């Protein structure tokens, strides 16, 4: 799948190539959390322990060349799978091995929170996203089962160009479909798709997403001045997929995307909040639940997850693995947990910048560090390292 040049390029960027078509790379938030600087937005929204998360892909190749993607255009693109198919056990074992090797340096780091680093040795979450189109790996269901048997939850992101793969995918913890534009013309401009029937493929993917019984999410990546329009059309597409959750995220002006888009195309967090307030008008079954300032993302969820006025968007991972192992049918409602922290702070990127400019960096507010409410038992291990509490 990879030419020697593409492989060398990726390894220079700290990817570890696994077999002939998979890759692992440490997520910045995994490092942040090991250093006691808080976790990613999926920790706040769903309870993913960022220090115990492995970011990977099972296919470095993609059928889109999205303008906002932080991948270089050296990465392979293809509509079909035309390569060797690596054994799922090889991918499973070697990915974990490469992931741990990438984290070993934290063992000797002064900065690292010892308890958080110790916990990172037990991978509990895999994010099948990183780059390319992981869902196209022909033996994905076997690999997913292997992760679940080892108590590793599975998040998978697809760009909605492979509907049959979505249809045939076995239950996973949370399945994401990207919806990158509200109309066919804009989708062509934003995603530069290879498939001539790209629009029909997205519509069919959303249709199959709506039939999934486990957790589903539609993600919008907002590029200011390009696809931040026609919110009623976005709502129509979202209702085709009828996901449990919606994530509206700002395009981030990073990596090779800087050659294709401008800094002005990156919305501020407060602009994402406004976008969501306008969008939810067209989505009566949804409500805004939470936000994550550093990632400029807002999460909406179906109102049914607000039980007696209390949001339940976190995942009960133990219950999920029990259900997945049972072989019996189960739904999103069967593995929900109370969300410790919800609501909009009213703060935005500008506030964050102001506090940074004024040199108040060392006295960051809780919001920015995204420490989840320490009373939740998931964060118990943090308590072991007293010095962390002092920092905050
Ligand atoms: S869930 Fe995603 S953002 Fe969070 S730690 Fe894992 S790879 Fe990183």
């Amino acid at each position: 799948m990879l030419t020697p040049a593409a492989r060398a390029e990726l390894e220079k960027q700290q990817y570890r190539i696994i077999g002939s078509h998979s890759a692992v790379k440490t997520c910045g938030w995994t490092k942040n959390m090991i250093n006691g600087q808080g976790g990613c937005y999926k920790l706040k929204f769903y309870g993913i322990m960022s220090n115990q998360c492995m970011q990977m892909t099972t296919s470095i190749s993609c059928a889109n060349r999205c303008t906002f993607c932080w991948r270089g255009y050296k990465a392979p693109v293809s509509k079909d799978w035309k390569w060797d198919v690596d054994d799922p056990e090889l991918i499973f074992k070697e990915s974990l091995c490469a992931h741990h090797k990438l984290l070993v340096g934290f063992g000797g780091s002064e900065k690292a929170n010892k308890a958080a680093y110790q916990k990172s040795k037990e991978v509990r979450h895999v994010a099948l996203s990183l780059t390319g189109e992981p869902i196209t790996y022909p033996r994905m269901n076997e690999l997913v089962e292997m992760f679940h048997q080892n108590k590793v939850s599975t998040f998978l992101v697809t760009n909605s160009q492979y509907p049959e793969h979505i249809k045939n995918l076995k239950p996973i913890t949370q399945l994401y479909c990207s919806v990158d534009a509200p109309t066919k013309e804009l989708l062509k401009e934003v995603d530069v798709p290879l498939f001539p029937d790209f629009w029909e493929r997205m519509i069919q993917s959303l249709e199959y997403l709506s039939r999934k019984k486990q957790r589903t999410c539609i993600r919008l990546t907002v590029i200011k001045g390009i696809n931040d329009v026609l919110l009623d059309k976005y709502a129509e597409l979202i209702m085709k997929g009828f996901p449990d959750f919606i994530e509206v995220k700002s395009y981030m002006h990073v990596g090779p995307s800087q050659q294709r888009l401008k800094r002005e195309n990156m919305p501020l967090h407060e602009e994402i909040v406004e976008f969501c307030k306008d969008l939810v008008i067209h989505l009566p079954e949804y409500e805004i639940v939470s936000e994550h300032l550093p990632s400029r993302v807002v999460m909406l969820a179906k109102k049914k997850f607000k039980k007696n006025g209390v949001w339940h968007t976190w995942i009960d991972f133990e219950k999920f693995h029990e259900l997945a192992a049972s072989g019996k049918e189960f739904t999103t409602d069967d593995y929900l947990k109370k969300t410790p922290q919800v609501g909009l702070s009213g703060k935005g990127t500008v506030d964050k910048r102001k506090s940074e400019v004024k040199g108040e960096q060392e006295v960051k507010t809780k919001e920015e560090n995204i420490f989840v409410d320490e009373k939740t038992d998931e964060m118990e291990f943090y308590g072991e390292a007293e010095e962390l509490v002092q920092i905050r």
Side-chain angles (χ1 to χ4, degrees), residues 340-355:
Q341 234 176 346
V342 296
L344 295 174
S345 65
K347 288 177 127 179
T349 311
V350 173
D351 306 291
K352 186 167 174 281
R353 277 197 202 133
K354 269 198 217 120
S355 78

Side-chain angles (χ1 to χ4, degrees), residues 83-298:
W83 306 280
D84 301 339
V85 178
D86 293 338
D87 182 77
E89 194 163 352
L90 174 143
I91 298 174
F92 176 78
K93 287 192 173 143
E94 294 200 7
S95 301
L96 286 167
C97 184
H99 174 73
H100 290 310
K101 274 198 193 132
L102 284 165
L103 294 180
V104 85
F106 285 99
S109 147
E110 293 283 308
K111 213 170 143 202
N113 172 289
K114 300 285 171 278
Y117 173 60
Q118 210 48 43
K119 280 271 180 183
S120 77
K121 295 178 181 169
E122 289 167 53
V123 168
R124 282 286 160 265
H125 314 291
V126 62
L128 292 151
S129 54
L130 182 59
T131 189
E133 252 300 15
I135 203 169
T136 55
Y137 170 51
R139 296 179 68 183
M140 179 58 84
N141 283 329
E142 293 165 71
L143 180 63
V144 159
E145 206 162 322
M146 229 168 260
F147 279 122
H148 294 165
Q149 283 160 356
N150 289 275
K151 301 271 182 282
V152 178
S153 74
T154 47
F155 273 36
L156 189 151
V157 181
T158 173
N159 60 20
S160 315
Q161 289 297 294
Y162 293 93
E164 294 312 309
H165 289 77
I166 293 174
K167 185 178 166 201
N168 302 328
L169 186 67
K170 282 197 177 154
I172 65 168
T173 317
Q174 186 153 314
L175 174 61
Y176 282 78
C177 271
S178 306
V179 172
D180 297 333
T183 64
K184 184 171 180 176
E185 297 66 36
L186 262 176
L187 189 66
K188 187 163 183 162
E189 184 190 327
V190 171
D191 282 6
V192 199
L194 295 186
F195 287 110
D197 57 342
F198 63 92
W199 182 255
E200 291 71 21
R201 282 172 170 267
M202 181 176 75
I203 301 297
Q204 186 61 70
S205 294
L206 295 175
E207 166 60 32
Y208 288 145
L209 186 77
S210 71
R211 297 188 202 164
K212 291 289 176 188
K213 301 256 179 312
Q214 295 74 38
R215 297 167 67 106
T216 56
C217 183
I218 284 180
R219 180 184 298 153
L220 277 50
T221 302
V222 179
I223 312 167
K224 194 171 166 186
I226 294 181
N227 65 357
D228 54 348
V229 290
L230 302 169
L231 276 55
D232 56 334
K233 294 289 176 202
Y234 271 119
E236 275 172 33
L237 292 170
I238 290 168
M239 288 312 288
K240 285 188 195 306
F242 200 42
D244 298 318
F245 309 103
I246 303 163
E247 290 174 7
V248 180
K249 205 169 176 306
S250 166
Y251 151 61
M252 289 303 210
H253 192 65
V254 291
S257 81
Q258 298 174 79
Q259 291 143 29
R260 302 182 286 261
L261 294 166
K262 299 194 193 74
R263 192 168 182 77
E264 299 76 67
N265 293 129
M266 178 166 72
L268 303 171
H269 182 74
E270 43 274 45
E271 290 168 324
I272 295 293
V273 171
E274 286 318 306
F275 181 101
C276 291
K277 287 182 178 168
D278 295 341
L279 177 67
V280 81
I281 295 167
H282 305 281
L283 296 165
E285 298 182 55
Y286 292 85
E287 211 174 300
I288 293 175
V289 179
S290 188
E291 65 176 355
H292 187 259
L293 264 80
S295 306
R296 306 186 190 190
V297 61
V298 170

